[in-house]
Amino acid sequence: AFVSAVTLAETVRVLRKVHRLELSSIANAIAMMLSSDDFVVEGAETLRAIADGEVSPDLVADFLVAWLGSRAGCASTVTFDGTAAARIPAMELLS
């Protein structure tokens, strides 16, 4: 099955907000999906940072925004979100 970056971000949101799963459980689910031969995950090489605990699953949408910007040739991505700017290397806080 193909899992787009948008689908993954929405899945994380639903698992966290609706099903109230712990972030560690979500990270484990992402890790299992990335290591499975049954899934092709858009941006899998980049999402490994979430599976490896380098980036929290609660920042997956911000992480994907920065990744897509980088793929488009942007040197960085600006944000109003101080947490995302502090925890995602490719993001800068816009003040």
Side-chain angles (χ1 to χ4, degrees), residues 2-54:
F2 174 75
V3 181
S4 71
V6 173
T7 299
L8 185 63
E10 182 63 8
T11 300
V12 169
R13 186 192 69 77
V14 169
L15 291 175
R16 185 76 173 137
K17 302 295 182 191
V18 176
H19 297 286
R20 307 262 188 242
L21 288 182
E22 295 292 323
L23 292 174
S24 61
S25 296
I26 296 170
N28 287 338
I30 292 171
M32 288 175 29
M33 190 181 306
L34 292 175
S35 65
S36 172
D37 291 335
D38 296 326
F39 295 99
V40 174
V41 181
E42 181 181 25
E45 67 286 345
T46 300
L47 292 169
R48 179 72 43 207
I50 293 168
D52 292 343
E54 297 169 30

Side-chain angles (χ1 to χ4, degrees), residues 9 58-67 77 79 81 83-85 88 91:
D58 63 340
L59 294 174
V60 70
D62 298 301
F63 188 75
L64 290 170
V65 166
W67 171 68
T77 299
T79 181
D81 184 338
T83 301
I88 299 172
M91 289 199 137

Side-chain angles (χ1 to χ4, degrees), residues 64-78 90 92:
L64 290 170
V65 166
W67 171 68
L68 290 169
S70 177
R71 277 189 44 196
C74 299
S76 65
T77 299
V78 295
E92 291 181 23

